[in-house]
Amino acid sequence: MTSNTRVRFAPSPTGALHIGGAHTALFNWLWARHIGGSFILRIEDTDLARSTEEHERTILQGLSWLGLDWDEGPDVGGSHGPYRQSERREIYLRHAHDLVRSGQAYCEGEAVIFSVPKGRTVAFDDLVYGHIEMESDTLKDVVLIKSDGFPTYNYAVVVDDHLMEITCVVRGEDHISNTPKQLLLYQALGWETPLFAHLPMILGKDKKKLSKRHGATSVYEYRDMGYHPDALFNYFALLGWNPGDDREIFTREEAVRMFDLTRVTKKASVFDMDKLNFVNQAHIAMMPPLERARHTFPFWEEAGLDPGSRSEEWLAGVLDLLEGRGRTFRELAEYTDYFLSFEAVKKRWGGEDIDGERRGTLKGFFTAMLSFPSWSPEELEVMAKAWCDGKGLKMKDVAMPLRWALTGRKVSPGIFHVAAFLGRDEVKKRLSHYGLI
Ligand code: GLU
């Protein structure tokens, strides 16, 4: 399906791509992809004091990590870069001078200022918030060009949205109050106005504006925390929108198919880490084992382990043993460190209190276990059960020390599965280190 719909994301590079920005970008992108229209990226870098190239880079990095690609822009060696307002200054100056010539704007030193017409009611029908109107008498004149020769946001946004043929402006609700000024500028320039869809705010769990206090605010940080971009994508889509039923987990393709701008709610949504963790865990569980291992790889490395010395299949097998436990790739790496290195176990261990008598009993069991002909987890378990029954012991009396020696943890996958996976030699090495055989 193709459509003339054109939407845009217009970040100011005054910070990284934060959650609110990424959410706005996502909704624009989803709408463009759903309807077969175009998604434009425009960097609004006219605030010289606050805009930096570094911020622009992190915004682009965040967008590309989330897989939000844009459709056109100036040619940069084969692909297209974003539009940048700083590269379009001539255009803003030209239209500002048109407004001066027609008596709708005036100059004050180097600055150009729009005289807001009196006695007008400015109204628009927001696709999300409905009918909104404002009296022009409540508005002050609007600076179009500052004395440094750069345009202001409210002016440049109108020129660009018109020239870039944007049909629907989808942006944060905090811009509703700017819209009447922008509408007056459209009228003064004799241009048709686009549709507007303002998106609800995203708040922290305490219902306050999202800030560092609520955790990472920059999208790219979530990558380093072990989130999958598809999960963040999925979770963002659920903020202020739902697929019309109670489905919460979906792929990018499904989101594109189901997304509908007219079903966006105006109620502010809450950024809830528990929910994000739930969505991330579901995406990790859905992915093919080798891909899961590939994503976990850097987190093993970060923990000082050497996953490169193992095959991808082996690494995937390790993660399979977790049977869906672990909410992030970081947790997956952490929960499995003992498979990659005995050193990780030595830092923890847990059997310090095993006394001489108990040690003697355990030695008996582990010696029997290591010489048991089969090494399948099921048969090892049957063997252990029989041995414990014979000695009047509980299974956990042997399973717990085995768990400490092999994993250094109180909780792990079935310990005979761990033993079987590590193999007889490695199990023997760890047990003998602790004097248990
Ligand atoms: N540069 C503005 C911002 O980052 C864009 C607002 C708009 O989409 O019109 O808030």
Side-chain angles (χ1 to χ4, degrees), residues 137-174:
D137 291 356
T138 62
L139 299 173
K140 289 210 270 297
D141 284 357
V142 181
V143 176
L144 304 180
I145 305 284
K146 294 171 285 184
S147 45
D148 65 3
F150 277 74
T152 57
Y153 157 67
N154 274 309
Y155 170 59
V157 77
V158 168
V159 174
D160 283 343
D161 284 341
H162 170 72
L163 295 178
M164 295 177 189
E165 299 176 348
I166 300 305
T167 57
C168 187
V169 169
V170 182
R171 62 185 172 196
E173 173 249 34
D174 50 331

